[in-house]
Amino acid sequence: AKTKSRGSFQAFRPEMQLKSEWTKRMRTDLLAAIGTDQFFLVYQPIMKASDQSIVGVEALLRWHHPDRGIISPTEFIPVAEETGLIIPIGTWALQRACQTARSWPSNIKISVNASIKQFENNNLAGVVRDALTNAGLPPERLKLEVTESVLMTENSVSINTLKEIQNTGVSIILDDFGTGYSSLSYINTFSFDFIKIDKSFISRICRPGDREPIFEAIMGMAQAIRIPVTVEGVETVHQLEYIRGLGCEFVQGYLLAKPMSETDISRVLIYNGGI
Ligand code: C2E
Ligand code: CA
Ligand code: CA
Ligand code: CA
């Protein structure tokens, strides 16, 4: 490991210094952002693969930085996790998403992402319950998206928390399935309600006739254990047809809808429901 880190020092470039300074600054800026309304959620529809009707919506975090504009969660969530700030940010996202979903048609579910950090030393089950109660949203309307990292922790606290939340009526989704180290062995440690296959798999389907054996194996396994599958990152008609042919239940991706503002999603849902 030592040789390796020396090697990376040799490759040190000025932009890496800039990057680490921004990471440092991000830590202080994230703290300031919490009290000053800089976070917001965007909403991406999830459709039935068969008829493309909207069945749910995923809430995705955005950070409107005062100087740097909109920052992607892939950039700030790792820093928020490392500093523990993901706990208040995650609580805020959960509350906000539940409040927003309250005004949607009652057949539409809201999916919220939860970080592994929110399961550690934190009463997540209580936080979820309070968010639902305060918003007046029935637990059946909420889905919590977690990655397999939640099952990999040393103690059983996370699994117990997942069970506690699931017992209240909230669905638990295994997100980014297929990207972890031991997906297949973890699938049996908790009875997930849904599986979401990571977008890296479908992105390899480019031309008509293309097939992705690993993807098909994952689909087949999910079907064997009877857990409904969502495929995310569907960008082309061709990919949609491919996953439909494999019997995938739900689909999410730029082809059908991109993440959008609170105002826009309300309009789309009203149109979808024909109210
Ligand atoms: P994720 O949970 O896997 O979310 C799916 C990501 O794929 C989102 O990126 C979404 O905008 C993007 N996406 C959707 N359709 C397509 C498509 O057709 N093509 C491509 N290339 N991408 C598509 P986003 O919004 O940048 O979020 C990135 C990640 O940040 C999320 O990945 C999730 O891990 C994390 N994240 C977002 N919001 C939250 C949150 O509230 N809490 C936590 N803990 N993590 C969050
Ligand atoms: Ca997700
Ligand atoms: Ca995902
Ligand atoms: Ca992801």
Side-chain angles (χ1 to χ4, degrees), residues 58 60 113 145 175 196 232:
E58 180 175 7
L60 296 157
N113 294 282
E145 301 199 1
D175 197 3
K196 203 183 262 195
E232 65 177 11

Side-chain angles (χ1 to χ4, degrees), residues 44 58 60-62 72-74 77 86 93 113-115 118 175-176 199 232-235 253-254 259:
Q44 185 179 32
E58 180 175 7
L60 296 157
L61 256 178
R62 295 292 180 267
S72 155
T74 53
I77 283 178
I86 191 64
N113 294 282
S115 157
Q118 290 173 267
D175 197 3
D176 292 352
K199 56 181 177 290
E232 65 177 11
V234 173
E235 297 181 351
Y254 296 165

